[in-house]
Amino acid sequence: MRSFGEEIRRLEERFFVGRRTETELFRNFVFDAEGKARILNISGTGGIGKSSLLDQFRRICDQEGIPFFHMDCLDFTKTQRGFASRLLAVLNAEAAEDSREEELLQEAVQRLNHLAVNSGLVFAIDTYEEMNELDDWLRQSFLVRLSHRIRIVLSGRFPLKGGWVSSPAWRRLIKFVPLSPFDYETCEQYTSIYGDYNGGFVRKSYMMTKGHPLTLSLFMGLNESDAMRGEQEPEPLVWNETFREIAGQWLREIPDPALRELLEAVTMVRVFNQEILETMLEKVISNAEFEKLIQLSFVRKSERGWYLHQVLRKALYQDFRQKKPQIYHRLWQRSVKYHYTLAVSRHVSMEERNLLMMDFIYIAGAPGFRAMFYDDAIDQSYYIETVHRDHVNEAEQYVRDCLANLEDYVQEMYDPVSNEKYIYRIPKAVNERWFTSIKLSEIMACGNDAVRLLKNEKHEAVGMFIYIPIHRDSLRLLELNPITQSYFRSLSRTEREKLLVPPESPAGWFQYMIDFSMDGSASARFMFFQTYLSYYLKGGIMVYTAPMKYNQEAVKGIGYVEVPKAAHKGFGPDFPAPVFVLDFREDREMKKFAENLYRSALEENETAALDPILSKLTPREREIALLTRTCSSNLEIAQKLYLSEITVKKCLSRIYEKLEVKGKSELVKKLMS
């Protein structure tokens, strides 16, 4: 009699189609002891089937009795401690809270090497594009300790770059496996799983989906009806050939309204479970309804719960928000409250809280901050490379290129949640002061990861990231630099002594500069944001200063607090700049940060309630209209927005006309009501 587990494996095998070349290659990779390759690099666009292929690799290993361990980068924070703790959990070992990073890593390495003694093993990391912060460390400090009997699989959107390919030794160990869309025969095989479709339908499905596996899955879900089978030619489709439109149509055509409601809710969160859905929808969800949701082919299980495929989630989210804005807003409010409650709970570990904070920042963070960094539609291939002494010339050349082409930098950005436009400006003089007030060699002497370059798929440097670690050896430099000195000179003796820590355990970081003036695309900014978040989760203090109002409001929107009496003119006499600090040195500070973020979200919610009134206004007019509630004069509004008083007066005239009010008092009354 076949067991339930055997039946599940049979069905999984049945729904896995194509990829014969890749599975044969994997078998050779695992069983050929004399082969040179030790690392298999699976790469391909979102929805191409990377995770499904990893599932097939696991099944092959299960059949052959070879241990297979799998980690998803969505399940841990991108810190060395987060990686080691998660790996120990995968190996069924518990990470002690008080253990040092090196102790955790050493224990994980020893356990892996021990398990590989007899038959070897396979260790796979999925969603590797999110590992940019740990990429160098993984190669230089982790993999070099592993037994030669361990085979590594790294799966992500982009092929390995940087040190992986610049080193002939590492390049020799890697087998690159880029995934392509299905060919016609595979599409035919896939459609046959759903029933006896005619040749015309198979041709139509191949033409519409271009063989993209996730799109094909949605397409088949839309057309799984008797009318489409047999010899009948399919009806002409009414949407354009785009993934987003197929996804939106698919969501609207789901015959089960309960399932459609659950799917709309899960588009708003990165990871979900039954509890969060019940909280957001304010009703009990039956086990049968939840099972129907998680059985969908594009819903995957992770250590933290379940998640909708990233590409599909964004497409469905945008469709849902546009079609049902009021329902969307109610679910957003409940989601914010749920994440806040968990983030300040005493019953979650520090690693769990860090992951929750990442989710919370996305949901509740200030829209200006989201517009700058948090667009996760990564359409281009970028990677971040740490600058070491042996290639500091490349970083210095980047600085020279920026200085040679200096001009006022202006960038339009859009909040991925509200789609509201923001204008990001950096005056030429400010950029020049940022670049000329430092020497890269001095900064690099403060820490191995102080200077990083953003590189594109052509391996060209298109951005720079400078975070100066704060410790006893960097303090003098920080106290002398014209941009950084004001904060450190404002500290009391007791506060300064807290910063006299060894270089290997910094007290925090001074966020000196994030420059994406050579490539301001959403994809490039998001890569910076991934690295930015990793510093949050290391603990310590984060110090930031800039003279631009946009930057100031963005950091305040995620919890930074202005430091009294630390403002300076290090950017020049025309650009006074306050200093902001985020302090995570103690657990209570993390909770305080969550509380501030929650309070800001509630204020944003109150503003959103005015959308029906303010919908006719431009973003600038909306900002001015809202300030009339708290500012007593046009001059005060102008000072807050760095505008001239006459500009404010002209904007108010247009606002009165659009909202059909006679003056400021009537406008305030209308808004307050």
Side-chain angles (χ1 to χ4, degrees):
M1 179 182 294
R2 180 183 292 159
S3 70
F4 185 74
E6 289 171 334
E7 180 65 16
I8 290 294
R9 284 192 292 273
R10 186 187 68 82
L11 289 172
E12 287 176 337
E13 288 277 6
R14 179 182 172 220
F15 278 91
F16 182 83
V17 299
R19 308 301 186 203
R20 289 183 182 177
T21 301
E22 291 82 0
T23 51
E24 270 310 303
L25 190 151
F26 177 73
R27 288 181 182 277
N28 293 334
F29 170 71
V30 172
F31 299 114
D32 183 6
E34 302 302 319
K36 297 176 183 178
R38 292 291 183 270
I39 300 170
L40 204 62
N41 178 214
I42 310 295
S43 61
T45 186
I48 202 69
K50 298 182 293 294
S51 295
S52 296
L53 184 59
L54 288 185
D55 289 342
Q56 181 69 359
F57 289 171
R58 178 194 292 275
R59 288 190 288 270
I60 292 171
C61 287
D62 287 346
Q63 293 166 4
E64 302 294 340
I66 296 174
F68 183 99
F69 296 100
H70 171 268
M71 285 175 62
D72 194 311
C73 291
L74 298 174
D75 289 338
F76 59 90
T77 54
K78 308 313 174 290
T79 63
Q80 296 170 26
R81 183 180 187 86
F83 178 90
S85 298
R86 178 63 195 138
L87 178 53
L88 284 172
V90 168
L91 299 174
N92 297 315
E94 190 171 339
E97 282 285 332
D98 57 349
S99 296
R100 293 185 296 110
E101 289 177 358
E102 179 58 32
E103 293 172 342
L104 293 175
L105 181 63
Q106 188 60 30
E107 183 180 353
V109 168
Q110 288 175 354
R111 285 179 177 270
L112 272 175
N113 287 340
H114 176 72
L115 290 167
V117 167
N118 295 323
S119 59
L121 63 81
V122 175
F123 176 46
I125 303 179
D126 200 3
T127 328
Y128 193 79
E129 68 270 12
E130 296 198 11
M131 276 282 281
N132 68 84
E133 163 65 12
L134 291 180
D135 183 67
D136 281 347
W137 172 85
L138 184 88
R139 183 177 61 256
Q140 297 171 2
S141 300
F142 174 68
L143 293 183
V144 291
R145 306 189 194 186
L146 297 185
S147 164
H148 71 282
R149 297 180 63 82
I150 296 176
R151 297 293 189 267
I152 306 296
V153 180
L154 303 178
S155 174
R157 290 195 181 186
F158 314 116
L160 296 173
K161 300 182 180 69
W164 298 101
V165 294
S166 62
S167 162
W170 280 105
R171 192 168 62 243
R172 179 184 174 89
L173 298 178
I174 302 170
K175 179 66 178 178
F176 293 94
V177 187
L179 297 187
S180 302
F182 290 159
D183 57 20
Y184 180 84
E185 289 72 21
T186 304
C187 284
E188 187 175 33
Q189 183 184 358
Y190 185 83
T191 57
S192 69
I193 297 171
Y194 288 82
D196 184 21
Y197 288 93
N198 66 18
F201 179 84
V202 175
R203 287 191 297 273
K204 175 69 75 171
S205 68
Y206 182 63
M207 179 188 72
M208 291 293 294
T209 68
K210 305 295 189 296
H212 184 263
L214 180 57
T215 314
L216 182 62
S217 173
L218 294 175
F219 183 88
M220 294 307 301
L222 272 172
N223 295 280
E224 196 174 5
S225 66
D226 291 337
M228 287 293 193
R229 295 182 183 164
E231 295 303 318
Q232 182 179 348
E233 193 73 17
E235 292 292 323
L237 300 174
V238 296
W239 58 82
N240 295 328
E241 296 180 17
T242 67
F243 173 80
R244 178 179 171 183
E245 288 173 340
I246 290 179
Q249 178 75 3
W250 175 85
L251 179 63
R252 294 189 291 274
E253 293 295 326
I254 294 175
D256 185 343
L259 180 59
R260 184 165 59 246
E261 184 181 39
L262 293 181
L263 271 165
E264 289 172 344
V266 302
T267 64
M268 303 190 64
V269 293
R270 296 205 143 193
V271 181
F272 69 88
N273 54 39
Q274 197 163 344
E275 180 182 83
I276 189 173
L277 291 181
E278 290 181 337
T279 301
M280 291 172 67
L281 297 172
E282 292 189 329
K283 68 176 185 179
V284 175
I285 298 170
S286 71
N287 290 338
E289 290 174 319
F290 189 74
E291 282 294 322
K292 190 179 294 186
L293 171 66
I294 63 176
Q295 291 302 321
L296 292 170
S297 61
F298 34 78
V299 173
R300 298 190 67 84
K301 180 77 170 70
S302 77
E303 177 64 20
R304 302 172 61 204
W306 290 263
Y307 62 92
L308 201 60
H309 192 286
Q310 186 180 12
V311 178
L312 178 62
R313 178 177 66 83
K314 183 159 188 173
L316 296 184
Y317 167 84
Q318 292 172 340
D319 186 82
F320 168 46
R321 189 177 184 280
Q322 290 171 359
K323 300 293 191 302
K324 302 178 181 180
Q326 293 184 355
I327 296 175
Y328 158 84
H329 195 68
R330 286 199 298 271
L331 295 185
W332 177 82
Q333 288 176 283
R334 297 166 191 163
S335 175
V336 167
K337 186 174 182 180
Y338 177 87
H339 282 84
Y340 165 70
T341 303
L342 281 183
V344 299
S345 169
R346 297 180 179 179
H347 305 296
V348 295
S349 68
M350 181 59 72
E351 175 68 9
E352 289 172 321
R353 180 172 296 150
N354 286 344
L355 288 165
L356 285 166
M357 289 304 299
M358 293 172 71
D359 297 337
F360 191 35
I361 289 170
Y362 176 69
I363 295 169
F369 183 83
R370 288 193 303 254
M372 186 181 293
F373 288 127
Y374 223 136
D375 187 337
D376 54 4
I378 309 175
D379 299 319
Q380 295 168 271
S381 175
Y382 295 94
Y383 61 101
I384 288 180
E385 185 172 276
T386 299
V387 178
H388 300 295
R389 292 190 180 278
D390 57 353
H391 60 287
V392 67
N393 291 342
E394 187 176 12
E396 291 173 339
Q397 184 61 50
Y398 176 86
V399 172
R400 288 193 292 270
D401 290 344
C402 287
L403 289 172
N405 297 283
L406 270 184
E407 56 184 25
D408 289 350
Y409 180 75
V410 181
Q411 173 81 40
E412 288 187 0
M413 302 175 182
Y414 293 83
D415 173 16
V417 175
S418 67
N419 209 35
E420 187 172 355
K421 183 171 76 172
Y422 291 83
I423 305 296
Y424 177 59
R425 293 185 177 89
I426 304 179
K428 173 182 176 181
V430 172
N431 246 338
E432 183 176 20
R433 195 63 66 98
W434 252 323
F435 281 115
T436 57
S437 296
I438 59 165
K439 290 183 179 178
L440 291 183
S441 57
E442 292 180 353
I443 299 297
M444 290 168 58
C446 296
N448 293 331
D449 297 334
V451 182
R452 296 180 175 185
L453 290 175
L454 177 74
K455 293 191 171 183
N456 61 18
E457 56 190 1
K458 297 178 182 178
H459 310 297
E460 300 166 330
V462 294
M464 179 174 278
F465 185 102
I466 299 178
Y467 261 38
I468 307 174
I470 303 170
H471 51 71
R472 65 192 179 204
D473 294 347
S474 66
L475 209 51
R476 179 167 175 76
L477 181 148
L478 291 164
E479 289 173 336
L480 293 175
N481 183 281
I483 290 175
T484 65
Q485 65 181 209
S486 66
Y487 169 72
F488 296 95
R489 292 183 177 183
S490 72
L491 298 177
S492 67
R493 176 180 293 183
T494 302
E495 291 171 327
R496 188 183 185 281
E497 287 176 352
K498 292 180 180 178
L499 306 181
L500 296 174
V501 298
E504 58 269 21
S505 303
W509 288 265
F510 196 105
Q511 181 188 327
Y512 184 84
M513 181 176 67
I514 296 178
D515 178 72
F516 44 75
S517 56
M518 288 194 180
D519 186 341
S521 68
S523 300
R525 299 196 310 271
F526 181 68
M527 289 299 288
F528 275 125
F529 180 61
Q530 293 280 46
T531 302
Y532 182 86
L533 268 184
S534 69
Y535 284 92
Y536 261 69
L537 306 177
K538 292 176 181 179
I541 57 172
M542 305 276 284
V543 189
Y544 177 73
T545 184
M548 293 81 68
K549 178 177 169 53
Y550 183 105
N551 299 53
Q552 296 166 14
E553 294 301 318
V555 297
K556 284 195 292 185
I558 56 167
Y560 282 73
V561 177
E562 186 173 347
V563 180
K565 300 179 181 179
H568 62 93
K569 294 186 178 180
F571 292 101
D574 298 329
F575 301 102
V579 177
F580 300 90
V581 168
L582 189 64
D583 193 340
F584 282 168
R585 282 179 288 188
E586 297 185 30
D587 188 47
R588 66 174 181 271
E589 299 296 339
M590 180 75 84
K591 292 182 179 179
K592 185 177 178 181
F593 166 71
E595 290 167 1
N596 290 338
L597 197 58
Y598 183 52
R599 194 178 302 112
S600 298
L602 293 180
E603 292 172 359
E604 185 183 334
N605 177 46
E606 291 175 3
T607 302
L610 295 170
D611 282 347
I613 299 174
L614 303 176
S615 60
K616 299 177 182 178
L617 305 183
T618 66
R620 173 63 76 196
E621 290 168 351
R622 177 191 177 99
E623 198 171 17
I624 291 173
L626 291 171
L627 282 174
T628 61
R629 300 177 302 171
T630 55
C631 295
S632 58
S633 67
N634 291 351
L635 177 60
E636 188 178 354
I637 294 174
Q639 290 173 338
K640 281 184 175 291
L641 297 178
Y642 291 86
L643 299 173
S644 68
E645 192 173 357
I646 192 168
T647 299
V648 171
K649 189 174 181 180
K650 289 179 180 179
C651 282
L652 281 172
S653 296
R654 293 195 296 270
I655 291 168
Y656 300 153
E657 183 179 349
K658 289 180 179 180
L659 300 187
E660 299 178 349
V661 294
K662 295 180 179 179
K664 189 181 293 183
S665 58
E666 278 196 21
L667 172 62
V668 172
K669 186 176 180 180
K670 187 167 188 174
L671 295 176
M672 299 300 283
S673 65

